Amino acid sequence: MQEVIVKSYYGLERENPMPSKNHGIIQGKLVFLLMLHFSEKYEIASEINVVINDRIKVPDIGIFEDVQYTPGHDEISVTETPVGVIEILSPKQSMADLISKSYEYFEAGVKSYWLVLPDVKTIFVYHAPNEYEAYVKTGILKDTQLNIELDIAKVFATRNS
């Protein structure tokens, strides 16, 4: 299969590689599961512009306590710091880049940073720089900072499994 290279304003604007198929599927599952189980406590936003240290950051998923859907009053960027950030590794990204992003988020007040590795069905839950727990393939992911528990097998399930 030949790889098709697509240059997009979306990718250039975000200064990130374009998300892949697996990235998008996992992102969708995480948003669904978080909304299904935690929408009373948090607002879940995908690909939202967040002002962090006078710069725009675009987490794959932001978990917010204070951001709300307000019809007729939209915003291009939000200044509220998310309590949680989820980043999903894309094929053209390095894990080191995503780990270094966590430092900026923690400095801004984020309480929890998830690093998702779709190819190895693993989610690292960071509560501070270099302090994390790894959840691999199955079991219950427990984020004690946000009081979130998720069945990791549901995140990585395929229709045939």
Side-chain angles (χ1 to χ4, degrees):
M1 181 165 113
Q2 184 178 2
E3 181 180 354
V4 177
I5 298 179
V6 179
K7 292 192 179 193
S8 127
Y9 181 72
Y10 172 84
L12 295 173
E13 177 73 16
R14 294 177 65 229
E15 298 179 6
N16 286 331
M18 286 182 63
S20 65
K21 172 194 71 173
N22 287 346
H23 180 287
I25 290 170
I26 296 302
Q27 185 169 335
K29 287 181 180 190
L30 281 165
V31 167
F32 172 78
L33 291 168
L34 290 167
M35 290 296 298
L36 182 65
H37 298 292
F38 303 99
S39 63
E40 293 297 316
K41 185 173 184 177
Y42 298 115
E43 196 66 61
I44 310 301
S46 177
E47 306 289 338
I48 189 171
N49 290 323
V50 180
V51 179
I52 302 280
N53 300 326
D54 296 325
R55 292 185 58 211
I56 299 289
K57 294 287 186 189
V58 186
D60 291 325
I61 301 170
I63 302 170
F64 294 89
E65 288 180 319
D66 298 325
V67 170
Q68 293 182 18
Y69 168 63
T70 51
H73 300 285
D74 204 357
E75 301 169 65
I76 301 299
S77 301
V78 297
T79 56
E80 293 85 354
T81 300
V83 292
V85 166
I86 301 174
E87 291 285 3
I88 304 164
L89 184 69
S90 292
K92 303 287 183 183
Q93 285 179 304
S94 80
M95 200 163 143
D97 288 342
L98 292 180
I99 291 170
S100 73
K101 274 187 183 183
S102 74
Y103 292 103
E104 292 179 69
Y105 283 119
F106 283 122
E107 186 179 301
V110 168
K111 295 177 183 175
S112 184
Y113 179 88
W114 299 9
L115 176 53
V116 182
L117 309 179
D119 286 341
V120 292
K121 297 181 179 181
T122 301
I123 300 176
F124 292 92
V125 177
Y126 287 79
H127 294 118
N130 301 315
E131 293 180 25
Y132 62 87
E133 293 161 9
Y135 298 89
V136 181
K137 295 183 184 177
T138 60
I140 303 299
L141 177 152
K142 294 181 181 179
D143 186 331
T144 56
Q145 293 293 315
L146 303 182
N147 200 23
I148 289 176
E149 292 187 6
L150 281 181
D151 182 347
I152 195 167
K154 290 182 179 178
V155 174
F156 297 114
T158 62
R159 284 186 292 177
N160 300 331
S161 61

